[in-house]
Amino acid sequence: MVKAVVFDMGGVLLNLDFNKCITDFQERAGFMDIADYLDVYHQKGFIGDLEGGVIGEEEFYVECLKHCAPGTSKQVAYECFVSLLIGLNKPVLEVLMQLRKDYKLYLLTNNNPLSRRAFDKMILEEEGLKSEDIFTHQFYSYEMKLQKPSREIFEKTVEGIGCRPEEILFIDDSQANCAAAGELGIRTLLYTPDADILAALK
């Protein structure tokens, strides 16, 4: 019996547009090789270091602005970076709101403080809720200094939730992440737009 549901953020709760982010960085900030650092599931270079908690936000801006045109501000770099996040995935959010009544909900994401602020802002503006009102706990890679699909991040998440692995449903759009969670006995659902989350709970 599932007692806890764990959601990924990007590609599940949030819709992403990598091409928009790349175009914004190139046209607004002159960061022409940004595509070398962005990846659908696992960021590279200093962006990966930010998500892994190796560097902090200020160090991120220092590294980012080295690639940008002279005079580019941190605000422009921030706006270009979070332009990747193009809005809440409404169908998933509707299911999530239903599940709040009967399940403990968690977030487990390879992510960073910039995207976290943008996500919290969207939730507040569109739903009138704070993310902490929705999730019992949020597991962010930059805070844990671990990233999916490492075994350790899933072990720490199971420990933090306090349920047996088979009592947890993990929803992610990455096959590698689902496979790693499944190795621990966690129930998984590979998210696609036609995925039936409610059926996966049975």
Side-chain angles (χ1 to χ4, degrees), residues 11-201:
V12 178
L13 291 175
L14 277 177
N15 295 314
L16 307 178
D17 189 336
F18 281 84
N19 289 332
K20 182 179 187 304
C21 182
I22 289 169
T23 298
D24 279 4
F25 261 120
Q26 291 175 340
E27 294 183 352
R28 295 188 62 197
F31 190 160
M32 304 311 293
D33 58 342
I34 180 62
D36 294 340
Y37 297 88
L38 291 178
D39 184 82
V40 176
Y41 301 119
H42 200 90
Q43 308 308 331
K44 303 169 186 174
F46 69 94
I47 298 179
D49 288 342
L50 179 68
E51 297 204 338
V54 177
I55 63 173
E57 188 170 344
E58 288 307 312
E59 293 168 287
F60 163 80
Y61 284 122
V62 169
E63 292 303 315
C64 184
L65 292 176
K66 288 178 183 178
H67 295 264
C68 297
T72 302
S73 67
K74 290 195 295 185
Q75 180 61 29
V76 167
Y78 170 78
E79 291 171 3
C80 290
F81 188 72
V82 300
S83 70
L84 173 67
L85 316 176
I86 59 171
L88 298 171
N89 186 341
K90 293 295 188 179
V92 173
L93 194 65
E94 287 174 8
V95 173
L96 183 149
M97 293 304 181
Q98 292 179 46
L99 297 181
R100 290 174 66 204
K101 305 167 189 173
D102 301 308
Y103 299 90
K104 289 185 176 180
L105 305 182
Y106 297 85
L107 185 69
L108 172 59
T109 177
N110 285 351
N111 232 304
N112 58 79
L114 286 74
S115 294
R116 183 175 190 169
R117 282 204 303 278
F119 175 65
D120 285 347
K121 185 171 183 286
M122 288 180 193
I123 288 285
L124 184 61
E125 290 181 350
E126 297 186 29
E127 300 298 326
L129 293 170
K130 294 181 179 179
S131 57
E132 54 263 35
D133 295 331
I134 301 172
F135 300 105
T136 299
H137 187 76
Q138 300 173 73
F139 298 96
Y140 277 87
S141 59
Y142 76 94
E143 292 183 330
M144 300 174 77
K145 295 182 168 41
L146 297 166
Q147 290 181 279
K148 298 178 290 184
S150 72
R151 183 181 180 88
E152 190 176 359
I153 196 170
F154 290 107
E155 290 174 336
K156 293 286 187 184
T157 299
V158 170
E159 180 183 341
I161 292 173
C163 292
R164 297 193 304 272
E166 62 270 21
E167 295 174 328
I168 300 169
L169 174 65
F170 171 61
I171 303 168
D172 198 291
D173 63 327
S174 162
Q175 181 63 61
N177 293 343
C178 287
E183 288 178 1
L184 293 180
I186 298 170
R187 296 177 62 168
T188 64
L189 175 64
L190 179 63
Y191 178 76
T192 60
D194 60 350
D196 191 335
I197 295 174
L198 297 178
L201 292 165

Side-chain angles (χ1 to χ4, degrees), residues 1-17:
M1 180 180 177
V2 174
K3 295 182 179 178
V5 185
V6 181
F7 289 85
D8 177 36
M9 181 192 288
V12 178
L13 291 175
L14 277 177
N15 295 314
L16 307 178
D17 189 336

